Amino acid sequence: MTGRSGVRGAVAEAIGRVLGRMVGWVSGRTVGVGGVADAVVTRVVRGIALGVALALVAGAGVVRAAAVGGGGPGAAGAGGASTGRGPARAWPVGGPGGVLGRFEPPATPWAAGHRGVDLAAAPGAEVRSAAAGVVAFSGLVAGRPVVTVVHPGSGTPPLRTTYLPVTGTVPVGTGVAAGQVVGRLAPDGRHCGARDCLHWGLLRAGRYLDPLALLGTGRARLLPLGGT
């Protein structure tokens, strides 16, 4: 299982690098209908490419989490930390007053949309896991640092949360509690325009969901994590 996990993770990361080059290529092209239209097209393509890359990496992360024994709430990860309950949920940064952009699900997997929630934060800010789980990925996707946490006990397949741009501070395979720091916000300046922000995503398999549902304020009611 460990070998398969490594292969899938490597493939996902390689695809992320390729998609990153595609985004850069599109950013450098014009469509001949004016700068505003060019910017819109570039933004849409960036969002789609990053969304696809995140889904691939997060999927590989489920295999990694299983390989290190993240079998359920309360299990210990490779780093020895417990995924014990702690608080049931936690804001990754700030609180409800810091929401800059809400979840806008795409009509189709390849359509434009906003596949997560943007939260105001400054570079260097500590980023916390929204729920107990296992760190399944920490690295670059399309040139941006990402942390993925898999949440055992949240249904089949399990839910996964993603945090970007975040430089991970916890080794892959480590169990974390809700509210435990998993990284720090990296400088970016692309996703939220002139503002710095955390992009927080939630997935089940390849389907994006509203992360605010974890806190009871999103568009859908989710299964409890570990019965909490």
Side-chain angles (χ1 to χ4, degrees), residues 120-228:
E126 292 183 335
V127 178
R128 301 177 289 273
S129 178
V134 177
V135 176
F137 178 82
S138 180
L140 296 179
V141 177
R144 302 163 85 179
V146 177
V147 172
T148 298
V149 178
V150 175
H151 304 285
S154 59
T156 304
L159 293 170
R160 311 183 304 280
T161 49
T162 59
Y163 310 86
L164 73 102
V166 173
T167 302
T169 56
V170 177
V172 170
T174 302
V176 294
Q180 183 172 334
V181 174
V182 294
R184 291 184 177 274
L185 191 73
D188 184 68
R190 288 183 287 175
H191 186 74
C192 290
R195 301 192 64 171
D196 290 295
C197 71
L198 168 73
H199 182 75
W200 173 29
L202 175 68
L203 302 93
R204 188 185 299 281
R207 180 187 177 193
Y208 281 87
L209 303 170
D210 188 349
L212 292 179
L214 288 172
L215 304 171
T217 61
R219 299 190 179 195
R221 183 178 181 276
L222 303 173
L223 291 172
L225 294 184
T228 58

Coordinates of all heavy atoms in Angstrom, one line a residue, residues 120-228:
A120 N -9.9 36.0 5.1 CA -8.9 37.1 5.3 C -7.8 36.6 6.2 O -8.1 36.1 7.3 CB -9.5 38.4 5.7
A121 N -6.6 36.8 5.8 CA -5.5 36.4 6.7 C -4.2 37.1 6.1 O -4.1 37.3 4.9 CB -5.3 34.9 6.8
A122 N -3.2 37.3 7.0 CA -2.0 37.9 6.6 C -0.9 36.8 6.4 O -1.0 35.8 7.0 CB -1.5 38.9 7.6
P123 N 0.0 37.1 5.5 CA 1.1 36.1 5.3 C 1.8 35.8 6.7 O 2.0 36.7 7.5 CB 2.1 36.8 4.4 CG 1.2 37.7 3.6 CD 0.2 38.2 4.5
G124 N 2.1 34.6 6.9 CA 2.7 34.2 8.2 C 1.7 33.7 9.2 O 2.0 33.2 10.3
A125 N 0.4 34.0 9.0 CA -0.7 33.6 9.9 C -0.7 32.1 10.1 O -0.6 31.4 9.1 CB -2.0 34.1 9.5
E126 N -1.0 31.7 11.3 CA -1.1 30.2 11.6 C -2.5 29.7 11.0 O -3.5 30.4 11.1 CB -1.1 29.9 13.1 CG 0.2 30.2 13.7 CD 0.3 29.8 15.2 OE1 -0.8 29.8 15.8 OE2 1.3 29.5 15.7
V127 N -2.4 28.6 10.3 CA -3.6 28.0 9.7 C -3.9 26.7 10.4 O -3.0 25.9 10.6 CB -3.4 27.7 8.2 CG1 -4.6 27.1 7.6 CG2 -3.1 29.1 7.5
R128 N -5.1 26.5 10.8 CA -5.5 25.4 11.7 C -6.4 24.4 10.9 O -7.2 24.8 10.0 CB -6.3 25.9 12.9 CG -5.5 26.9 13.8 CD -6.3 27.4 14.9 NE -7.4 28.4 14.5 CZ -7.2 29.6 14.3 NH1 -6.0 30.2 14.5 NH2 -8.2 30.4 13.9
S129 N -6.4 23.2 11.3 CA -7.2 22.2 10.7 C -8.7 22.4 11.1 O -8.9 22.6 12.3 CB -6.8 20.8 11.1 OG -7.7 19.8 10.5
A130 N -9.6 22.4 10.2 CA -11.0 22.6 10.6 C -11.7 21.5 11.4 O -12.7 21.8 12.1 CB -11.8 22.9 9.3
A131 N -11.1 20.3 11.3 CA -11.6 19.2 12.0 C -10.5 18.2 12.3 O -9.4 18.3 11.6 CB -12.8 18.5 11.3
A132 N -10.7 17.2 13.1 CA -9.7 16.2 13.4 C -9.5 15.4 12.2 O -10.4 15.1 11.4 CB -10.2 15.3 14.6
G133 N -8.2 15.0 12.0 CA -7.9 14.2 10.8 C -6.5 13.8 10.7 O -5.8 13.8 11.7
V134 N -6.0 13.5 9.5 CA -4.6 13.1 9.3 C -4.1 13.9 8.1 O -4.7 14.1 7.1 CB -4.5 11.6 8.9 CG1 -3.1 11.2 8.6 CG2 -5.0 10.7 10.0
V135 N -2.9 14.5 8.3 CA -2.3 15.3 7.2 C -1.9 14.3 6.1 O -1.1 13.4 6.3 CB -1.0 16.1 7.7 CG1 -0.4 16.8 6.5 CG2 -1.5 17.1 8.8
A136 N -2.5 14.5 4.9 CA -2.3 13.6 3.8 C -1.4 14.1 2.8 O -0.8 13.4 2.0 CB -3.6 13.2 3.2
F137 N -1.2 15.4 2.7 CA -0.4 16.0 1.6 C 0.1 17.4 2.1 O -0.6 18.1 2.8 CB -1.2 16.2 0.3 CG -0.3 16.9 -0.8 CD1 0.6 16.2 -1.5 CD2 -0.4 18.3 -1.0 CE1 1.3 16.8 -2.5 CE2 0.3 18.9 -2.0 CZ 1.2 18.1 -2.7
S138 N 1.3 17.7 1.8 CA 1.9 19.0 2.1 C 3.0 19.3 1.1 O 4.0 18.6 1.0 CB 2.5 19.0 3.5 OG 3.1 20.3 3.8
G139 N 2.7 20.2 0.1 CA 3.6 20.4 -0.9 C 3.1 21.4 -2.0 O 2.1 22.1 -1.7
L140 N 3.7 21.4 -3.1 CA 3.3 22.4 -4.2 C 2.3 21.8 -5.1 O 2.4 20.6 -5.6 CB 4.5 22.9 -5.0 CG 5.5 23.7 -4.2 CD1 6.7 24.1 -5.1 CD2 4.9 24.9 -3.5
V141 N 1.3 22.5 -5.5 CA 0.3 22.2 -6.5 C 0.2 23.4 -7.5 O -0.2 24.5 -7.0 CB -1.1 21.8 -5.9 CG1 -2.1 21.5 -7.1 CG2 -1.0 20.6 -5.0
A142 N 0.5 23.2 -8.7 CA 0.5 24.3 -9.7 C 1.3 25.5 -9.2 O 1.0 26.6 -9.4 CB -0.9 24.7 -10.0
G143 N 2.4 25.2 -8.5 CA 3.3 26.2 -8.1 C 2.9 26.9 -6.8 O 3.6 27.8 -6.4
R144 N 1.9 26.4 -6.1 CA 1.4 27.0 -4.9 C 1.4 26.0 -3.7 O 1.0 24.8 -3.9 CB 0.0 27.6 -5.0 CG 0.0 28.6 -6.2 CD -1.4 28.9 -6.6 NE -2.1 29.9 -5.8 CZ -3.3 30.3 -6.0 NH1 -4.0 29.8 -7.0 NH2 -3.9 31.2 -5.3
P145 N 1.8 26.4 -2.5 CA 1.9 25.5 -1.4 C 0.5 25.1 -0.9 O -0.4 26.0 -0.7 CB 2.7 26.2 -0.3 CG 2.5 27.6 -0.6 CD 2.3 27.7 -2.1
V146 N 0.3 23.8 -0.7 CA -1.1 23.3 -0.3 C -0.9 22.3 0.8 O 0.1 21.5 0.8 CB -1.8 22.7 -1.5 CG1 -3.1 22.1 -1.0 CG2 -2.0 23.6 -2.6
V147 N -1.8 22.3 1.8 CA -1.9 21.3 2.8 C -3.3 20.6 2.7 O -4.3 21.3 2.6 CB -1.7 21.8 4.2 CG1 -2.0 20.8 5.3 CG2 -0.3 22.4 4.4
T148 N -3.3 19.3 2.7 CA -4.6 18.5 2.7 C -4.7 17.7 3.9 O -3.7 17.0 4.3 CB -4.6 17.6 1.4 OG1 -4.6 18.4 0.2 CG2 -5.9 16.8 1.4
V149 N -5.9 17.7 4.5 CA -6.1 16.9 5.7 C -7.3 16.0 5.4 O -8.4 16.4 4.9 CB -6.5 17.7 6.9 CG1 -6.8 16.9 8.1 CG2 -5.3 18.7 7.3
V150 N -7.1 14.7 5.6 CA -8.2 13.7 5.4 C -8.9 13.5 6.8 O -8.2 13.4 7.8 CB -7.7 12.4 4.9 CG1 -8.8 11.3 4.8 CG2 -7.1 12.6 3.5
H151 N -10.2 13.3 6.8 CA -11.0 13.2 8.0 C -11.7 11.9 8.1 O -12.8 11.7 7.7 CB -12.0 14.4 8.1 CG -11.4 15.7 7.9 ND1 -10.7 16.3 8.9 CD2 -11.3 16.6 6.9 CE1 -10.2 17.5 8.5 NE2 -10.6 17.7 7.3
P152 N -11.0 10.9 8.7 CA -11.6 9.6 8.9 C -12.9 9.7 9.7 O -13.0 10.5 10.6 CB -10.5 8.8 9.6 CG -9.2 9.5 9.3 CD -9.6 10.9 9.2
G153 N -13.8 8.7 9.5 CA -15.0 8.7 10.2 C -16.1 9.7 9.7 O -17.1 9.9 10.4
S154 N -15.8 10.3 8.5 CA -16.7 11.3 8.0 C -17.6 10.8 6.8 O -18.1 11.5 6.1 CB -16.0 12.5 7.6 OG -15.0 12.2 6.6
G155 N -17.6 9.4 6.7 CA -18.4 8.8 5.6 C -17.4 8.2 4.6 O -16.2 8.1 4.8
T156 N -18.0 7.6 3.6 CA -17.2 6.9 2.6 C -17.5 7.4 1.2 O -18.6 7.4 0.8 CB -17.5 5.4 2.6 OG1 -17.3 4.9 3.9 CG2 -16.7 4.6 1.6
P157 N -16.4 7.9 0.5 CA -15.1 8.1 1.0 C -15.0 9.3 2.0 O -16.0 10.1 2.0 CB -14.3 8.5 -0.3 CG -15.3 9.1 -1.2 CD -16.6 8.3 -0.9
P158 N -14.0 9.4 2.7 CA -13.9 10.4 3.8 C -13.8 11.8 3.2 O -13.3 12.0 2.1 CB -12.7 10.0 4.6 CG -11.8 9.3 3.6 CD -12.8 8.5 2.7
L159 N -14.2 12.8 4.0 CA -14.1 14.2 3.6 C -12.6 14.6 3.7 O -11.8 14.0 4.4 CB -14.9 15.1 4.6 CG -16.4 15.0 4.5 CD1 -17.0 15.8 5.7 CD2 -16.9 15.5 3.2
R160 N -12.2 15.6 2.9 CA -10.9 16.1 2.9 C -11.0 17.6 2.8 O -11.8 18.2 2.1 CB -10.1 15.6 1.6 CG -10.2 14.1 1.4 CD -9.4 13.6 0.3 NE -9.6 14.3 -1.0 CZ -10.6 13.9 -1.8 NH1 -11.5 13.0 -1.5 NH2 -10.7 14.5 -3.0
T161 N -10.2 18.3 3.6 CA -10.1 19.7 3.6 C -8.7 20.1 3.0 O -7.7 19.5 3.2 CB -10.2 20.4 5.0 OG1 -9.4 19.7 5.9 CG2 -11.7 20.3 5.4
T162 N -8.7 21.2 2.2 CA -7.5 21.7 1.6 C -7.3 23.2 2.0 O -8.3 23.9 2.2 CB -7.5 21.6 0.1 OG1 -8.7 22.4 -0.4 CG2 -7.7 20.2 -0.4
Y163 N -6.0 23.6 2.1 CA -5.7 24.9 2.6 C -4.6 25.4 1.7 O -3.5 24.8 1.6 CB -5.2 24.8 4.1 CG -6.2 24.1 5.0 CD1 -6.1 22.7 5.1 CD2 -7.2 24.8 5.7 CE1 -7.0 22.0 5.9 CE2 -8.1 24.1 6.5 CZ -7.9 22.7 6.6 OH -8.8 22.0 7.4
L164 N -4.8 26.6 1.1 CA -3.8 27.2 0.2 C -3.9 28.7 0.2 O -5.0 29.2 0.4 CB -3.8 26.6 -1.2 CG -5.0 27.0 -2.1 CD1 -4.5 28.1 -3.1 CD2 -5.6 25.9 -2.8
P165 N -2.8 29.4 0.0 CA -1.4 28.9 -0.1 C -0.9 28.8 1.3 O -0.7 29.8 2.0 CB -0.7 30.1 -0.9 CG -1.5 31.3 -0.5 CD -2.9 30.9 -0.2
V166 N -0.6 27.6 1.7 CA -0.2 27.3 3.0 C 1.1 26.4 3.0 O 1.1 25.4 2.4 CB -1.3 26.6 3.9 CG1 -0.7 26.1 5.2 CG2 -2.5 27.5 4.0
T167 N 2.1 26.9 3.7 CA 3.3 26.1 3.9 C 3.2 25.2 5.1 O 3.0 25.7 6.2 CB 4.6 27.0 4.0 OG1 4.7 27.9 2.9 CG2 5.8 26.2 4.2
G168 N 3.2 23.9 4.9 CA 2.9 23.0 5.9 C 4.0 23.0 7.0 O 5.2 23.1 6.7
T169 N 3.6 22.8 8.2 CA 4.5 22.7 9.4 C 4.4 21.3 10.1 O 5.1 21.1 11.1 CB 4.3 23.8 10.4 OG1 2.9 23.8 10.8 CG2 4.6 25.2 9.7
V170 N 3.5 20.5 9.6 CA 3.3 19.2 10.2 C 3.6 18.1 9.2 O 3.2 18.2 8.0 CB 1.8 19.0 10.6 CG1 1.6 17.7 11.2 CG2 1.5 20.1 11.7
P171 N 4.4 17.1 9.5 CA 4.7 16.0 8.5 C 3.5 15.2 8.1 O 2.5 15.1 8.8 CB 5.6 15.1 9.4 CG 6.1 15.9 10.5 CD 5.0 16.9 10.8
V172 N 3.5 14.8 6.8 CA 2.5 14.0 6.2 C 2.4 12.7 7.1 O 3.4 12.1 7.5 CB 2.8 13.6 4.8 CG1 1.8 12.6 4.3 CG2 2.7 14.9 3.9
G173 N 1.1 12.3 7.4 CA 0.9 11.2 8.2 C 0.6 11.4 9.6 O 0.3 10.5 10.4
T174 N 0.7 12.7 10.0 CA 0.5 13.1 11.4 C -1.0 13.3 11.7 O -1.7 14.0 10.9 CB 1.3 14.4 11.8 OG1 2.7 14.2 11.5 CG2 1.1 14.8 13.2
G175 N -1.5 12.8 12.8 CA -2.8 13.0 13.2 C -2.9 14.4 13.9 O -2.0 14.8 14.6
V176 N -4.0 15.1 13.6 CA -4.2 16.5 14.1 C -5.6 16.6 14.7 O -6.5 15.9 14.2 CB -4.0 17.5 13.0 CG1 -2.5 17.6 12.6 CG2 -4.9 17.4 11.8
A177 N -5.8 17.4 15.7 CA -7.1 17.7 16.3 C -7.6 18.9 15.6 O -6.9 19.7 14.9 CB -6.9 18.0 17.7
A178 N -8.9 19.1 15.7 CA -9.6 20.3 15.2 C -8.9 21.5 15.9 O -8.8 21.5 17.1 CB -11.1 20.3 15.5
G179 N -8.6 22.5 15.1 CA -7.9 23.7 15.7 C -6.4 23.6 15.8 O -5.8 24.6 16.2
Q180 N -5.9 22.5 15.5 CA -4.4 22.3 15.6 C -3.8 23.0 14.4 O -4.2 22.8 13.2 CB -4.0 20.9 15.7 CG -2.5 20.7 15.8 CD -2.2 19.2 16.1 OE1 -3.0 18.5 16.6 NE2 -1.0 18.8 15.8
V181 N -2.7 23.7 14.6 CA -2.0 24.4 13.5 C -1.3 23.4 12.5 O -0.6 22.4 13.0 CB -0.9 25.4 14.0 CG1 -0.1 26.0 12.9 CG2 -1.6 26.5 14.8
V182 N -1.6 23.5 11.2 CA -1.0 22.6 10.2 C 0.0 23.4 9.3 O 0.6 22.7 8.5 CB -2.1 21.9 9.4 CG1 -2.9 21.0 10.3 CG2 -3.0 22.9 8.7
G183 N 0.0 24.7 9.4 CA 0.9 25.4 8.5 C 0.8 26.9 8.7 O 0.0 27.4 9.6
R184 N 1.5 27.7 7.8 CA 1.4 29.1 7.9 C 1.0 29.7 6.5 O 1.5 29.1 5.5 CB 2.7 29.7 8.4 CG 3.0 29.5 9.8 CD 4.2 30.1 10.3 NE 4.5 29.9 11.7 CZ 3.9 30.7 12.7 NH1 3.2 31.8 12.4 NH2 4.2 30.4 14.0
L185 N 0.3 30.7 6.4 CA -0.2 31.3 5.2 C 1.1 31.9 4.4 O 1.8 32.6 5.0 CB -1.2 32.4 5.4 CG -1.9 32.9 4.1 CD1 -2.9 31.8 3.6 CD2 -2.6 34.2 4.4
A186 N 1.2 31.5 3.2 CA 2.3 32.0 2.4 C 1.9 33.2 1.6 O 0.7 33.4 1.2 CB 2.8 30.9 1.4
P187 N 2.8 34.1 1.2 CA 2.4 35.2 0.4 C 2.0 34.7 -1.0 O 2.5 33.8 -1.5 CB 3.8 36.0 0.2 CG 4.6 35.5 1.4 CD 4.2 34.1 1.6
D188 N 1.0 35.4 -1.5 CA 0.4 34.9 -2.8 C 0.0 36.1 -3.7 O 0.6 36.4 -4.7 CB -0.7 34.0 -2.6 CG -1.3 33.4 -3.9 OD1 -0.5 32.6 -4.5 OD2 -2.4 33.7 -4.3
G189 N -1.0 36.8 -3.3 CA -1.5 38.0 -4.0 C -2.1 37.7 -5.3 O -2.3 38.6 -6.2
R190 N -2.6 36.5 -5.6 CA -3.2 36.1 -6.9 C -4.7 35.8 -6.7 O -5.5 36.3 -7.4 CB -2.5 34.9 -7.5 CG -1.2 35.3 -8.1 CD -0.6 34.0 -8.8 NE -0.1 33.0 -7.9 CZ 0.3 31.8 -8.2 NH1 0.4 31.5 -9.5 NH2 0.7 31.0 -7.3
H191 N -5.0 35.0 -5.7 CA -6.4 34.5 -5.6 C -7.4 35.6 -5.2 O -8.5 35.6 -5.7 CB -6.4 33.3 -4.6 CG -7.8 32.7 -4.6 ND1 -8.2 31.8 -5.6 CD2 -8.8 32.7 -3.7 CE1 -9.4 31.4 -5.4 NE2 -9.8 31.9 -4.2
C192 N -7.0 36.4 -4.3 CA -8.0 37.4 -3.7 C -7.6 38.8 -4.2 O -7.9 39.8 -3.5 CB -8.0 37.4 -2.2 SG -8.8 35.9 -1.6
G193 N -6.9 38.9 -5.4 CA -6.6 40.2 -5.9 C -5.5 40.9 -5.1 O -4.5 40.3 -4.8
A194 N -5.8 42.1 -4.6 CA -4.8 42.9 -3.8 C -4.7 42.4 -2.4 O -3.8 42.9 -1.7 CB -5.2 44.4 -3.9
R195 N -5.6 41.6 -1.9 CA -5.7 41.2 -0.5 C -5.0 39.8 -0.4 O -5.1 39.0 -1.3 CB -7.1 41.1 0.0 CG -7.8 42.4 -0.1 CD -9.1 42.4 0.7 NE -8.8 42.2 2.2 CZ -9.8 42.3 3.1 NH1 -11.0 42.6 2.7 NH2 -9.5 42.1 4.4
D196 N -4.5 39.5 0.8 CA -4.0 38.2 1.1 C -5.2 37.4 1.7 O -6.0 38.0 2.4 CB -2.8 38.2 2.1 CG -1.6 38.8 1.4 OD1 -1.1 38.1 0.5 OD2 -1.2 39.9 1.8
C197 N -5.2 36.1 1.4 CA -6.3 35.3 2.0 C -6.0 33.8 2.0 O -5.0 33.4 1.3 CB -7.6 35.5 1.2 SG -7.6 34.8 -0.5
L198 N -6.7 33.1 2.7 CA -6.6 31.6 2.7 C -7.8 31.1 1.9 O -8.9 31.5 2.1 CB -6.8 31.1 4.2 CG -6.9 29.6 4.3 CD1 -5.7 28.8 4.0 CD2 -7.5 29.2 5.7
H199 N -7.5 30.2 1.0 CA -8.5 29.5 0.2 C -8.7 28.1 0.9 O -7.8 27.3 0.9 CB -8.2 29.3 -1.3 CG -9.2 28.7 -2.1 ND1 -10.4 29.3 -2.4 CD2 -9.3 27.4 -2.5 CE1 -11.2 28.5 -3.1 NE2 -10.5 27.3 -3.2
W200 N -9.9 27.9 1.4 CA -10.2 26.7 2.2 C -11.2 25.9 1.4 O -12.3 26.4 1.0 CB -10.8 27.2 3.5 CG -11.4 26.1 4.4 CD1 -11.0 24.8 4.5 CD2 -12.4 26.3 5.3 NE1 -11.7 24.1 5.4 CE2 -12.6 25.0 6.0 CE3 -13.2 27.4 5.7 CZ2 -13.6 24.8 7.0 CZ3 -14.2 27.2 6.7 CH2 -14.4 25.9 7.3
G201 N -10.8 24.6 1.1 CA -11.7 23.8 0.3 C -12.1 22.5 1.0 O -11.5 22.1 2.0
L202 N -13.2 21.9 0.6 CA -13.8 20.7 1.1 C -14.2 19.8 0.0 O -14.9 20.2 -0.9 CB -15.0 21.0 2.1 CG -15.7 19.8 2.7 CD1 -14.8 19.1 3.7 CD2 -17.0 20.3 3.3
L203 N -13.8 18.5 0.0 CA -14.1 17.6 -1.0 C -14.5 16.2 -0.4 O -14.1 15.9 0.7 CB -12.9 17.3 -1.9 CG -12.3 18.5 -2.7 CD1 -11.1 19.0 -1.9 CD2 -11.8 18.0 -4.0
R204 N -15.4 15.6 -1.2 CA -15.6 14.1 -0.9 C -15.4 13.5 -2.3 O -16.1 13.8 -3.3 CB -17.0 13.9 -0.4 CG -17.2 12.4 0.0 CD -18.6 12.0 0.4 NE -19.1 12.8 1.5 CZ -18.9 12.5 2.8 NH1 -18.0 11.5 3.1 NH2 -19.4 13.2 3.8
A205 N -14.4 12.6 -2.4 CA -14.0 12.1 -3.7 C -13.6 13.3 -4.6 O -12.9 14.1 -4.1 CB -15.0 11.2 -4.3
G206 N -14.2 13.4 -5.8 CA -13.8 14.5 -6.7 C -14.9 15.6 -6.6 O -14.8 16.5 -7.4
R207 N -15.8 15.5 -5.7 CA -16.9 16.5 -5.6 C -16.5 17.6 -4.6 O -16.3 17.3 -3.4 CB -18.2 15.9 -5.3 CG -19.4 16.8 -5.2 CD -20.6 16.1 -4.6 NE -21.7 17.1 -4.5 CZ -22.8 16.8 -3.8 NH1 -23.0 15.6 -3.3 NH2 -23.8 17.7 -3.7
Y208 N -16.6 18.9 -5.0 CA -16.4 20.0 -4.1 C -17.6 20.3 -3.3 O -18.7 20.3 -3.9 CB -15.9 21.2 -4.8 CG -14.4 21.2 -5.2 CD1 -14.0 20.5 -6.4 CD2 -13.4 21.7 -4.4 CE1 -12.6 20.5 -6.7 CE2 -12.1 21.6 -4.7 CZ -11.7 21.0 -5.9 OH -10.4 20.9 -6.2
L209 N -17.5 20.6 -2.0 CA -18.6 20.9 -1.1 C -18.3 22.3 -0.5 O -17.2 22.8 -0.5 CB -18.7 19.8 -0.1 CG -19.0 18.4 -0.6 CD1 -18.9 17.4 0.5 CD2 -20.3 18.3 -1.3
D210 N -19.3 22.8 0.2 CA -19.1 24.1 0.9 C -18.4 23.8 2.3 O -19.0 23.2 3.2 CB -20.5 24.7 1.1 CG -20.4 26.1 1.7 OD1 -19.3 26.6 2.1 OD2 -21.5 26.8 1.7
P211 N -17.2 24.4 2.4 CA -16.5 24.2 3.7 C -17.2 24.7 4.9 O -17.1 24.2 6.0 CB -15.2 25.0 3.5 CG -15.0 25.0 2.0 CD -16.4 25.2 1.5
L212 N -18.1 25.8 4.7 CA -18.8 26.4 5.8 C -19.8 25.4 6.4 O -20.3 25.6 7.5 CB -19.5 27.7 5.4 CG -18.5 28.8 5.1 CD1 -19.3 30.0 4.6 CD2 -17.6 29.2 6.3
A213 N -20.1 24.3 5.6 CA -21.1 23.3 6.2 C -20.4 22.6 7.4 O -21.2 22.1 8.2 CB -21.4 22.3 5.1
L214 N -19.1 22.6 7.5 CA -18.5 22.0 8.6 C -18.8 22.8 9.9 O -18.7 22.2 11.0 CB -16.9 21.9 8.4 CG -16.4 20.9 7.4 CD1 -14.9 21.2 7.2 CD2 -16.7 19.5 7.9
L215 N -19.1 24.0 9.7 CA -19.3 24.9 10.9 C -20.8 25.2 11.0 O -21.2 26.0 11.8 CB -18.6 26.2 10.7 CG -17.1 26.1 10.5 CD1 -16.4 27.4 10.1 CD2 -16.4 25.5 11.8
G216 N -21.6 24.5 10.2 CA -23.1 24.6 10.3 C -23.7 25.8 9.6 O -24.8 26.2 9.8
T217 N -22.9 26.5 8.8 CA -23.4 27.7 8.1 C -23.3 27.6 6.6 O -23.6 28.6 5.9 CB -22.6 29.0 8.6 OG1 -21.2 28.8 8.2 CG2 -22.6 29.2 10.1
G218 N -23.0 26.4 6.1 CA -22.9 26.3 4.7 C -24.1 25.9 4.0 O -25.2 25.9 4.6
R219 N -24.0 25.4 2.7 CA -25.2 25.1 1.9 C -25.7 23.7 2.1 O -26.7 23.4 1.6 CB -24.8 25.3 0.4 CG -24.4 26.7 0.1 CD -24.3 26.9 -1.4 NE -23.9 28.2 -1.7 CZ -24.0 28.7 -3.0 NH1 -24.4 28.0 -3.9 NH2 -23.6 30.0 -3.2
A220 N -25.0 22.8 2.8 CA -25.4 21.5 3.0 C -25.1 21.0 4.4 O -24.1 21.4 5.0 CB -24.7 20.6 1.9
R221 N -25.8 20.0 4.8 CA -25.5 19.4 6.1 C -24.7 18.2 5.9 O -25.0 17.3 5.1 CB -26.8 19.0 6.8 CG -26.6 18.4 8.2 CD -28.0 18.1 8.9 NE -27.8 17.6 10.2 CZ -27.5 16.3 10.5 NH1 -27.4 15.4 9.5 NH2 -27.3 15.9 11.7
L222 N -23.6 18.1 6.6 CA -22.6 17.0 6.4 C -22.8 16.0 7.5 O -23.3 16.3 8.6 CB -21.2 17.5 6.3 CG -20.9 18.6 5.3 CD1 -19.5 19.1 5.5 CD2 -21.0 18.0 3.9
L223 N -22.3 14.8 7.2 CA -22.2 13.7 8.2 C -21.3 14.2 9.4 O -20.3 14.9 9.1 CB -21.7 12.4 7.6 CG -22.6 11.7 6.7 CD1 -21.8 10.5 6.0 CD2 -23.9 11.2 7.3
P224 N -21.6 13.8 10.6 CA -20.7 14.2 11.7 C -19.3 13.6 11.5 O -19.2 12.5 10.9 CB -21.4 13.6 12.9 CG -22.8 13.4 12.5 CD -22.8 13.1 11.0
L225 N -18.4 14.3 12.0 CA -17.0 13.8 12.0 C -16.7 13.1 13.3 O -16.7 13.7 14.3 CB -16.0 14.9 11.8 CG -16.0 15.7 10.5 CD1 -14.9 16.7 10.4 CD2 -15.9 14.7 9.3
G226 N -16.6 11.7 13.2 CA -16.3 11.0 14.4 C -17.4 11.0 15.4 O -17.2 10.9 16.6
G227 N -18.7 11.3 14.9 CA -19.8 11.3 15.9 C -19.9 12.5 16.7 O -20.7 12.6 17.6
T228 N -19.1 13.6 16.4 CA -19.2 14.8 17.1 C -20.2 15.8 16.5 O -20.6 15.6 15.4 CB -17.8 15.5 17.2 OG1 -17.4 15.8 15.8 CG2 -16.8 14.7 17.9

